[in-house]
Amino acid sequence: MKKISILLVAFVALTFSSCGSDDNGTNTASIIGKWEYSQTGDVIEGVEFLETYDHTTGCNKDYIEFKSNGTFDDVWYSNGASGCTSDNDSGTWAQNGVTITTAYGEQDAEEGEILTLNETTLKVRFVDTSEGMTQTYVTVLKRQ
């Protein structure tokens, strides 16, 4: 009877430990690569309000590319009189666990919390406090 109890406890422990590590969709996938913008939104009173990201019709999809050297390119497209053109902001990035820090050029660094990181999805929450106001926003990216 004692062996059955020990086996049952071991089984339960393994079951809960194998489920708990990836409940939020975060795993050890690499952030390096091209990610197209998929959704953006705000968190208001703890509730996410996400909308589909509005890419420019007829142009390539906007994306951000995280490079292995700690830099990134944030590329977006617009459609003008001469057709689709792209613009690019570059910066630096670093990841420490579930925290990602990004800085565009000479701007102050911004920290975000990685909510999901797997082979197809990167979801990050940012909290911005300015002039006594706090805004929480979320960006969802899909791997290209």
Side-chain angles (χ1 to χ4, degrees), residues 78-113:
S78 57
N79 198 351
S82 60
C84 290
T85 58
S86 67
D87 287 307
N88 178 25
D89 274 338
S90 296
T92 59
W93 71 275
Q95 181 183 355
N96 184 5
V98 296
T99 301
I100 182 167
T101 304
T102 57
Y104 287 86
E106 299 299 316
Q107 295 180 8
D108 290 338
E110 183 176 28
E111 283 190 358
E113 178 186 2

Side-chain angles (χ1 to χ4, degrees), residues 16-27:
F16 285 116
S17 67
S18 65
C19 292
S21 66
D22 196 28
D23 285 347
N24 66 357
T26 302
N27 65 23

Side-chain angles (χ1 to χ4, degrees), residues 4 23 28 38 41 44 46 72-73 75 85 107-108 119 123 140:
I4 292 173
D23 285 347
T28 57
S38 176
I44 301 170
F72 68 85
D73 289 318
V75 179
T85 58
Q107 295 180 8
D108 290 338
E119 293 303 320
K123 182 178 182 180
V140 180

Side-chain angles (χ1 to χ4, degrees), residues 33-67:
K34 283 187 181 182
W35 299 86
E36 72 181 43
Y37 288 91
S38 176
Q39 294 177 301
T40 58
D42 296 306
V43 177
I44 301 170
E45 296 181 10
V47 179
E48 282 185 10
F49 295 92
L50 296 176
E51 295 181 354
T52 301
Y53 183 86
D54 190 19
H55 295 281
T56 303
T57 304
C59 296
N60 292 332
K61 292 184 176 183
D62 301 346
Y63 68 90
I64 187 165
E65 181 177 7
F66 294 101
K67 299 178 182 179

Side-chain angles (χ1 to χ4, degrees), residues 118-139:
N118 57 43
E119 293 303 320
T120 60
T121 304
L122 171 59
K123 182 178 182 180
V124 182
R125 177 176 50 218
F126 295 92
V127 178
D128 182 32
T129 302
S130 177
E131 299 178 13
M133 301 282 294
T134 299
Q135 179 184 9
T136 303
Y137 59 98
V138 175
T139 301

